[in-house]
Amino acid sequence: MAVLTIVAVTIVLTGCPPRNETKKNKAAKSNLLNNIDSTTLINHLAYLSSAAMAGREIATPGNQLAREHIVHTFDSLQIGKTGDSYLQPFPFGHENQQGTNVIGVIKGSQYENNYIAITAHYDHLGVRNGDIYYGTDDNASGTAALLTMMAYFKQHPPKHSLIFVAFDGEEKGLLGSKYFVSNCPIPLANIMVDVNMDMVSRNDSNEIFATGIYHYPTLKKYVDSIQPFTPVFIRYGHDGQKAGADDWTNQSDHFPFHQKNIPYLYFGVEDHPDYHRPSDTFDKVNKSFYYQVCTMITAVTALLDQAYNPSEGYAH
Ligand SMILES: [Zn+2]
């Protein structure tokens, strides 16, 4: 499996597939997106967006239950820690309340001190007026993707280190990610890029946005390289001056990284009618789209890992 993956990435790096594809290329191509396990992905999603989590609002028992599931998954995959614990507590609000990020590391085989951050927030809006805001797409979907990608990279060790962060308090104003970049357990300068996922499980047009390209144009070719291998339409936009009111630059946890000049790719779908409503539920997920999006993001991340040169950054 590992050898085939390297072959596939090499093909991507060397450009478009030839018109008359060989059997070998086709096998490598299908293998490129055969990276994560769909059953694991869906099981994480179903559990994180279940009624037991009661919408996962920061500093609630439902939020804690979600965090325990994340920690349990980190533990069972034997993911590394940056200190004694996976947990990074942080204070918020006027009443000294506490939120908690969950942080784990897979050490790189060649460049241990250079990191790719893979991030998603696990909190949501909780219960309001008796209604559970399940937050399946926002953002149980990104959290489940993070956990499933982690299993893949544990089996296929990256060249650079990966730091996985499940953020708390995003819905209250990016609290967890702001705290993380100001209190980073590794040198912040060692983070090469942030791959952030927030709302990745449904879209009627089979489209997902890869944003951040306006700010960091050298990242575009890595996303472009994966497009021919996925049935999902990867769209650009929602960043930069033309985006106007639809600029997503400060809309999720990639923003604090951007403020520290760390390049980011943020993957997310266009808003849908169930956005921030109690009806953002598991039954609305397009499982096939969701799985394909997550295999695509995993492939882009693997490519970013292959393509980074610590002395030169990402190739232009
Ligand atoms: Zn969100």
Side-chain angles (χ1 to χ4, degrees):
M1 285 290 278
V3 172
L4 272 178
T5 305
I6 289 163
V7 168
V9 169
T10 308
I11 289 166
V12 172
L13 282 171
T14 51
C16 299
R19 269 187 207 155
N20 298 319
E21 273 187 335
T22 64
K23 270 188 186 169
K24 196 175 158 195
N25 279 4
K26 276 186 182 162
K29 184 169 164 177
S30 62
N31 187 69
L32 179 68
L33 294 188
N34 184 16
N35 41 36
I36 60 166
D37 182 65
S38 61
T39 306
T40 304
L41 179 72
I42 298 300
N43 286 347
H44 281 309
L45 182 68
Y47 185 55
L48 287 167
S49 58
S50 64
M53 304 286 170
R56 307 182 306 280
E57 185 178 7
I58 186 170
T60 64
N63 175 282
Q64 182 178 339
L65 201 57
R67 182 165 59 256
E68 285 169 1
H69 178 67
I70 296 164
V71 167
H72 174 75
T73 307
F74 279 38
D75 241 339
S76 60
L77 290 169
Q78 298 184 295
I79 300 301
K81 299 183 175 95
T82 55
D84 296 338
S85 165
Y86 293 123
L87 303 180
Q88 183 186 48
F90 60 88
F92 77 97
H94 301 301
E95 289 158 21
N96 235 350
Q97 288 176 284
Q98 186 176 288
T100 309
N101 297 326
V102 188
I103 307 171
V105 165
I106 296 177
K107 286 281 182 204
S109 59
Q110 286 184 40
Y111 306 108
E112 193 175 297
N113 293 326
N114 294 90
Y115 290 81
I116 296 174
I118 300 170
T119 60
H121 75 88
Y122 70 92
D123 68 300
H124 191 54
L125 302 173
V127 179
R128 296 179 179 191
N129 297 322
D131 291 325
I132 296 176
Y133 285 66
Y134 292 89
T136 300
D137 189 40
D138 185 11
N139 183 34
S141 69
T143 308
L146 180 149
L147 296 176
T148 312
M149 284 170 71
M150 185 182 273
Y152 170 78
F153 284 111
K154 185 70 189 181
Q155 284 187 334
H156 302 84
K159 282 164 62 177
H160 306 81
S161 293
L162 306 179
I163 184 163
F164 294 86
V165 193
F167 288 123
D168 200 357
E170 191 268 356
E171 301 286 9
K172 292 270 196 285
L174 316 182
L175 300 183
S177 48
K178 283 177 182 168
Y179 187 84
F180 175 82
V181 300
S182 301
N183 301 272
C184 193
I186 58 167
L188 201 61
N190 292 5
I191 300 179
M192 301 145 23
V193 62
D194 171 40
V195 177
N196 185 39
M197 299 174 284
D198 190 355
M199 299 174 60
V200 292
S201 66
R202 50 183 288 196
N203 180 266
D204 293 341
S205 309
N206 216 30
E207 289 176 354
I208 181 117
F209 280 86
T211 82
I213 301 290
Y214 172 84
H215 304 292
Y216 305 101
T218 56
L219 297 179
K220 181 172 184 288
K221 73 177 193 187
Y222 303 104
V223 181
D224 282 345
S225 296
I226 301 300
Q227 177 66 91
F229 300 88
T230 175
V232 166
F233 300 115
I234 308 170
R235 295 194 52 193
Y236 299 117
H238 287 302
D239 50 13
Q241 290 142 352
K242 281 191 199 157
D246 283 332
D247 188 348
W248 293 350
T249 299
N250 63 0
Q251 293 296 298
S252 183
D253 294 307
H254 50 274
F255 184 53
F257 291 86
H258 175 60
Q259 287 181 303
K260 299 281 186 185
N261 297 314
I262 298 170
Y264 74 87
L265 280 176
Y266 160 49
F267 293 96
V269 295
E270 199 71 73
D271 285 354
H272 44 72
D274 301 305
Y275 171 72
H276 280 203
R277 297 221 167 108
S279 52
D280 177 7
T281 48
F282 180 72
D283 58 293
K284 306 275 176 52
V285 166
N286 181 331
K287 293 196 182 82
S288 158
F289 171 77
Y290 178 42
Y291 172 68
Q292 286 160 356
V293 163
C294 294
T295 61
M296 178 274 288
I297 297 171
T298 305
V300 169
T301 306
L303 191 54
L304 289 170
D305 173 52
Q306 296 287 324
Y308 187 84
N309 179 329
S311 61
E312 293 172 18
Y314 284 104
H316 291 265

